[in-house]
Amino acid sequence: MRKNTRINLLLLLAVVALAVLPLALGLGDHREEPFTGADAEAETVITEIEPDYEPWFSPLYEPPSGEIESALFAVQAALGAGVLAYYFGLRRGRRQGEQRARARQAATEDAGSTAGESEVQGS
Amino acid sequence: MHIAEGFLPPAHAVAWGVASAPFVVHGVRSLTREVRKHPESTLLLGASGAFTFVLSALKLPSVTGSCSHPTGTGLGAILFRPPVMAVLGTITLLFQALLLAHGGLTTLGANVFSMAVVGPWVGYGAYRLLRRCDVPLMVAVFFGAFAADLSTYCVTSVQLALAFPDPAGGVLGALGKFGSVFAVTQIPLAVSEGLLTVLVMRLLVQSSKGELTRLGVLVAGGRTEARATGTGAVA
């Protein structure tokens, strides 16, 4: 494996480890509902500080279930990942195309200057 | 995790909206200028927006036993300067407010201020400062993204503390409470965001040298370039 690839994989691995460790170590066990969203927790703190506070506006559209919500989050991630993959794929393809064009050009120039030799080599 | 719909009193919601609006307008201007001047940068702009889309959809568990998500605004701020991120961050927040009931329209101004204005500027500032001190490119990128992420949620905590001061401890007491919900949860996620931003920047250095040189991330002639690949080898 190339050194660059190895470093990139290590970076990814570190991110995965950071996400898995809190779960593996059971850091949510002391809570009634482990690993809820920080925004929901903030709502709890707000109602602790101001028990009378009522949200004065509700979302125009609310995903009808947790499943639909996670589907929409997946769509968001997939859209982003798709665009990123397109970008890097396009760049790689362009680079390869340029390299090939350059190689071909060098080859024809080579053939032009030493036509006799390359014919011998080619046969 | 942003402030949920309806959870800021109307006066605060309006005030944060007014505070954010000029940054977004200025951002739209610099975005159109960038695209007009360098049409070829549209692709990389799209990729930067896509990065915030992916990262703000990733709800990750944290050491506090709760979940939050990174913001992904550091990368675009480093590449295209912060004003552009005011626009790309707002688009991401609107998507989440309208389709996912995450964040909200009444809290959009406050959330834009934290994620699309302060985050990118703090991240960009940290990155530039480190670069000026001759810190290697990838180290500066890591701390830039880390600072953008963490500062976003520090601002969220301040916004909530201002709106809901603690009866006993006042604004500072409330800041402690909201800070322990948002900012502490965010620390490991900010590390993750830093690592992912370094990963994408490494791929960009490999694939888009010309573009990065034009944007000033890499310096033509190689001093920074040598440094960049050098860090890559060390990191």
Side-chain angles (χ1 to χ4, degrees):
Chain A
M1 207 187 296
R2 280 175 55 217
K3 189 167 190 183
N4 255 328
T5 323
R6 215 164 48 218
I7 295 166
N8 290 347
L9 281 179
L10 277 177
L11 283 169
L12 271 181
L13 209 68
V15 173
V16 172
L18 272 172
V20 171
L21 274 178
L23 296 173
L25 297 176
L27 294 175
D29 290 354
H30 62 287
R31 289 165 181 271
E32 249 170 68
E33 273 187 273
F35 297 111
T36 50
D39 48 355
E41 254 178 70
E43 288 169 24
T44 317
V45 176
I46 289 172
T47 37
E48 268 170 32
I49 291 178
E50 246 186 78
D52 304 330
Y53 187 81
E54 285 284 330
W56 54 282
F57 198 82
S58 46
L60 298 177
Y61 169 77
E62 212 159 347
S65 74
E67 278 70 21
I68 311 286
E69 190 188 341
S70 66
L72 285 168
F73 266 103
V75 168
Q76 186 189 334
L79 273 176
V83 173
L84 278 173
Y86 174 79
Y87 178 85
F88 284 113
L90 186 76
R91 285 284 167 174
R92 195 186 159 93
R94 268 191 202 161
R95 217 168 52 235
Q96 281 176 346
E98 277 164 17
Q99 266 167 10
R100 259 180 227 154
R102 228 176 290 136
R104 211 171 298 138
Q105 205 180 3
T108 44
E109 273 168 19
D110 238 30
S113 62
T114 56
E117 265 175 63
S118 57
E119 254 177 44
V120 174
Q121 276 171 1
S123 61
Chain B
M1 289 290 183
H2 314 294
I3 304 176
E5 185 76 283
F7 268 92
L8 274 185
H12 286 257
V14 172
W16 288 114
V18 170
S20 301
F23 288 97
V24 178
V25 172
H26 174 231
V28 171
R29 270 202 213 133
S30 40
L31 184 68
T32 41
R33 201 180 319 126
E34 172 72 25
V35 171
R36 237 178 246 150
K37 226 164 134 195
H38 306 282
E40 72 277 11
S41 66
T42 316
L43 260 179
L44 190 53
L45 276 166
S48 310
F51 189 66
T52 54
F53 247 65
V54 178
L55 260 65
S56 30
L58 284 182
K59 293 186 184 174
L60 297 168
S62 176
V63 286
T64 49
S66 55
C67 274
S68 186
H69 61 79
T71 62
T73 55
L75 178 73
I78 290 170
L79 290 174
F80 291 104
R81 303 194 70 255
V84 168
M85 284 324 287
V87 185
L88 299 182
T90 304
I91 293 172
T92 310
L93 283 167
L94 256 180
F95 180 92
Q96 293 197 319
L98 289 175
L99 288 179
L100 300 167
H102 183 65
L105 292 178
T106 58
T107 51
L108 186 66
N111 291 331
V112 165
F113 198 81
S114 61
M115 175 175 146
V117 176
V118 176
W121 274 108
V122 170
Y124 180 72
Y127 163 79
R128 285 303 298 263
L129 195 74
L130 290 172
R131 288 300 282 156
R132 195 159 295 169
C133 302
D134 264 345
V135 168
L137 175 67
M138 290 307 166
V139 178
V141 167
F142 174 85
F143 283 105
F146 177 87
D149 184 314
L150 194 57
S151 61
T152 296
Y153 290 94
C154 293
V155 172
T156 304
S157 308
V158 171
Q159 289 169 331
L160 283 171
L162 287 175
F164 301 100
D166 194 57
V171 173
L172 278 180
L175 186 59
K177 284 185 182 173
F178 289 115
S180 69
V181 169
F182 281 112
V184 180
T185 305
Q186 203 64 29
I187 292 171
L189 300 198
V191 173
S192 294
E193 169 157 2
L195 293 173
L196 285 173
T197 309
V198 167
L199 175 65
V200 171
M201 193 60 97
R202 285 172 52 80
L203 295 174
L204 285 175
V205 169
Q206 283 169 32
S207 73
S208 325
K209 275 212 173 81
E211 193 83 0
L212 292 188
T213 310
R214 183 180 71 70
L215 292 167
V217 176
L218 299 177
V219 172
R223 197 175 82 100
T224 321
E225 214 165 286
R227 203 179 284 272
T229 41
T231 356
V234 178

